[in-house]
Amino acid sequence: MAAAAYEAAMRRALALAAHGPATGVNPRVGCVILDADGAVIAEGWHRGAGTPHAEIDALGHLEPGDARGSTVVVTLEPCNHTGRTGPCSVALIEAGVARVVYAASDPGVRSGGGARRLHDAGVEVIGGVLGDEVERFLGDWLPAARLGRPFVTLKWASSLDGRTAAADGTSKWIIGAAARQRVHEQREASDAIIVGTATVLSDDPSLTARGDAGELMPRQPMPVVVGVRQIPSDAAVFRHPHAPFIAPTHDLAQVLDHLFGLGVRRAFVEGGPTLATAFLAAGLVDELVVYLAPSLLGGPHTAIADIGVGTIAEARRLEITGVERLGNDLMIVAHPRDGGTILPATRPDPSRPLHSMEEES
Ligand code: AOF
Ligand code: ZN
């Protein structure tokens, strides 16, 4: 079979993968099974954690023995572990497939290694077909799997001069309705929203994802509150559809580690400035989303505090990877040019906070 046939089947597998859920612990995966003539004999995709993997879903559409000698085209390297389900590598070997074509390697410490296992069992294995497209499609899931922690987006909304509050600390509605709605979409696309205790104490946010009529969106991220200060038992976050995860610590790496274990792959850090600065300084921010309103506030309430840039040559230079105009506001997405995190970690000891997260207003 020609490379073009594998690519065409991979394109179909990618379209199938898109039926799956875009958030949560498991990736979106699609699979197409071809007979020896290259005709499609089965298709499958993954429907979320606890359900069959794409390969098993596709095999399930065939009679026993019908996959013998077939070519399995799948967007992610077949898994090699027993998680909520058994290893797909073994299922494919037992089904007697002749060849496995995949796009992206599985970076999981436990789940990876399926390609090698298949190869060792005499199955022809071809990796990297439409690799870049599938990488882009998998979005934050792959970086999170590689990092072994959630992919972290840091968001703030500021005036044109980079202030997130006026001199008296008031900060409601810096950005307009269209931009605020975009924030709700980004919340819905996240697995967790993280704020500091100071934000809970000053703003009492609900940390829900809502539609433009204020209604709850179908998916709600897990609310997470970081910091050692007590928050009142009647705080709005306790009325969130999911029980909030309260992390009475300043050890952000540990918080992320715990969230990863709970299945969080995409974390959205929403405030305030001290928590934002602490995440940056700990080298734990992968992406920056900045909403800019055409207003000027002046004064002391900058979006982030000292990040150790003493002179202009030390400025952390980023690349703008997205711009959207939302009503009168702008949304800017930025990433580091050289890969890695927005700021490299500056504090080797995460148990010593840069500033107290509790000082923030
Ligand atoms: C999926 N769907 O189609 C494939 C996956 O806990 P489990 O058993 O569902 O295993 C999840 C892991 O399996 C996942 O993180 C990924 O590494 C691998 N492959 N996962 O959810 C699939 N092929
Ligand atoms: Zn699998």
Side-chain angles (χ1 to χ4, degrees):
M1 235 176 287
Y6 298 147
E7 279 198 15
M10 190 62 82
R11 234 170 261 295
R12 175 68 190 150
L14 194 51
L16 292 165
H19 293 304
T23 50
V25 62
N26 278 8
R28 292 192 288 175
V29 184
C31 176
V32 169
I33 304 183
L34 309 173
D35 68 12
D37 300 324
V40 175
I41 53 171
E43 297 184 334
W45 72 89
H46 178 64
R47 289 163 178 78
T51 70
H53 289 183
E55 304 90 316
I56 307 303
D57 185 41
L59 284 173
H61 295 298
L62 295 175
E63 296 301 324
D66 283 0
R68 203 155 291 287
S70 66
T71 295
V72 171
V73 179
V74 57
T75 52
L76 185 68
E77 177 186 359
C79 71
N80 198 31
H81 73 306
T82 301
R84 293 170 193 84
T85 60
C88 292
S89 55
V90 173
L92 294 169
I93 291 164
E94 286 174 355
V97 311
R99 187 181 294 120
V100 169
V101 179
Y102 67 92
S105 296
D106 187 333
V109 180
R110 288 178 57 246
S111 52
R116 163 117 323 253
R117 179 125 157 212
L118 286 156
H119 171 84
D120 290 350
V123 177
E124 185 189 350
V125 180
I126 303 172
V129 173
L130 291 193
D132 291 348
E133 264 168 74
V134 171
E135 281 253 344
R136 273 197 300 278
F137 168 80
L138 282 171
D140 304 339
W141 186 87
L142 267 183
R146 287 190 189 117
L147 292 162
R149 62 158 172 80
F151 183 89
V152 175
T153 299
L154 171 63
K155 166 250 159 183
W156 69 72
S158 73
S159 58
L160 273 190
D161 56 331
R163 265 60 183 178
T164 53
D168 66 353
T170 50
S171 61
K172 269 233 150 93
W173 313 148
I174 286 184
I175 51 173
R180 294 202 304 274
Q181 195 47 49
R182 190 76 178 87
V183 172
H184 282 285
E185 287 168 17
Q186 289 170 325
R187 285 181 172 184
E188 199 198 22
S190 307
D191 300 315
I193 302 184
I194 308 180
V195 297
T197 45
T199 297
V200 171
L201 290 167
S202 64
D203 300 349
D204 195 23
S206 66
L207 302 184
T208 50
R210 299 184 298 279
D212 47 16
E215 77 285 6
L216 287 182
M217 289 180 163
R219 258 201 92 259
Q220 292 295 327
M222 177 197 307
V224 179
V225 181
V226 180
V228 296
R229 226 171 357 154
Q230 273 280 319
I231 57 171
S233 58
D234 62 348
V237 69
F238 290 113
R239 295 191 292 281
H240 192 285
H242 297 302
F245 172 55
I246 311 291
T249 176
H250 291 151
D251 187 340
L252 300 174
Q254 191 190 63
V255 172
L256 291 180
D257 194 48
H258 187 82
L259 291 175
F260 193 77
L262 294 177
V264 171
R265 295 296 176 270
R266 303 152 194 91
F268 198 58
V269 176
E270 283 212 62
T274 308
L275 185 70
T277 309
F279 261 101
L280 285 166
L284 292 172
V285 180
D286 303 299
E287 177 180 75
L288 215 53
V289 170
V290 176
Y291 286 87
L292 271 187
S295 60
L296 296 174
L297 289 171
H301 293 293
T302 53
I304 56 172
D306 183 12
I307 53 166
V309 174
T311 180
I312 196 71
E314 294 166 5
R316 181 66 170 151
R317 303 214 179 262
L318 304 171
E319 185 173 22
I320 292 180
T321 48
V323 180
E324 282 178 34
R325 195 180 173 126
L326 298 147
N328 286 326
D329 305 314
L330 281 185
M331 182 191 77
I332 297 173
V333 184
H335 292 95
R337 281 198 190 133
D338 49 1
T341 54
I342 292 287
L343 269 189
T346 54
R347 286 180 305 142
D349 178 4
S351 63
R352 275 183 47 241
L354 185 69
H355 307 280
S356 165
M357 268 172 239
E358 274 63 48
E359 279 164 15
E360 171 183 309
S361 67

